[in-house]
Amino acid sequence: MMELGATLCSKTKPDCSQCPVSSHCQALALSHENPLVGVTDYPRVVPKAKPRRDFAAVCVVQIAQGLEQETAAGKCNFFLLIKRPEEGLLAGLWEFPSVLVDERKTDPLNRRKEMDRYLKQLVDIDVEQESNLILREDVGQHVHIFSHIRLTMHVELMVLKIKGDVGQACNKGQDSTKLKLVDESSIDSMGLTSGIRKVYNMVKAFKEKKLLEQSQMPTKKRSRRQKQ
């Protein structure tokens, strides 16, 4: 059938007289019954529905262990991943903590409130009371287009310092089978969706820029002293 479509049954100039299955073609039969109907009228193109606009707060939660120097160098870092429901959009795939938000509440304050509530419910991380919060900054946004959804993801990076076994962070949640911690080398090789991979690359670029700025700060201070 695919070969017929590529050779005889083209969308613009079908060669029905040479088609070996023309006697079974309903489009050809209808065109014989009604001269106003053409074979090329079928299949009829169904107008696509306008994609729904959704908005999500996405938090890349990085859990750090070890000394400050190791953390800054990217060592001993783990990322929290959540498994999506087994039904629906992107069923069963792993992603960073993500929660849908109302379009009118996409400002940083409301997004963080929703994410804090979600993390508290999911893994028992109370961000407001978390004394080991190292960094929390907005990274940017990424628009991902599905066939029926236009999803705007507002991305932030949260770095937490946790003492002891990092695995305990997952075991506190409601369903530990839907949570896991992966290191940077593992997440680089995982089969993430294109949208989540884009989010991760955004965060990597953000951290590299942050480290570069921090590394240049002492140099600037020394140059100022030398001028004096």
Side-chain angles (χ1 to χ4, degrees), residues 75-205:
K75 300 178 180 179
C76 304
N77 292 328
F78 296 86
F79 293 91
L80 176 66
L81 293 180
I82 314 297
K83 190 175 185 181
R84 292 185 62 84
E86 296 298 334
E87 296 181 356
L89 186 67
L90 305 177
L93 297 179
W94 293 92
E95 66 179 8
F96 298 113
S98 176
V99 59
L100 290 176
V101 294
D102 189 278
E103 182 178 5
R104 297 166 295 181
K105 296 183 178 181
T106 56
D107 59 282
L109 180 60
N110 279 301
R111 283 191 282 110
R112 290 188 176 186
K113 283 183 179 179
E114 290 295 324
M115 181 55 65
D116 291 352
R117 191 179 299 113
Y118 180 62
L119 290 175
K120 176 63 178 175
Q121 176 186 4
L122 196 67
V123 288
D124 199 26
I125 294 179
D126 193 336
V127 178
E128 292 184 357
Q129 302 298 324
E130 181 58 65
S131 59
N132 295 321
L133 180 63
I134 299 175
L135 178 142
R136 187 175 193 180
E137 289 192 32
D138 285 337
V139 175
Q141 60 178 298
H142 171 60
V143 178
H144 193 69
I145 307 295
F146 297 93
S147 59
H148 59 296
I149 299 174
R150 185 181 189 274
L151 178 63
T152 301
M153 295 184 282
H154 297 269
V155 184
E156 68 170 333
L157 170 65
M158 180 191 297
V159 182
L160 297 172
K161 180 82 170 181
I162 291 183
K163 299 177 182 178
D165 184 8
V166 289
Q168 293 179 356
C170 284
N171 295 333
K172 292 180 181 179
Q174 292 183 347
D175 188 353
S176 59
T177 63
K178 295 182 179 180
L179 313 173
K180 68 177 177 181
L181 294 169
V182 297
D183 58 24
E184 291 194 69
S185 59
S186 298
I187 204 169
D188 281 330
S189 59
M190 285 183 65
L192 300 175
T193 65
S194 59
I196 297 303
R197 177 65 64 186
K198 175 64 177 179
V199 167
Y200 179 62
N201 290 336
M202 286 172 60
V203 169
K204 283 183 67 175

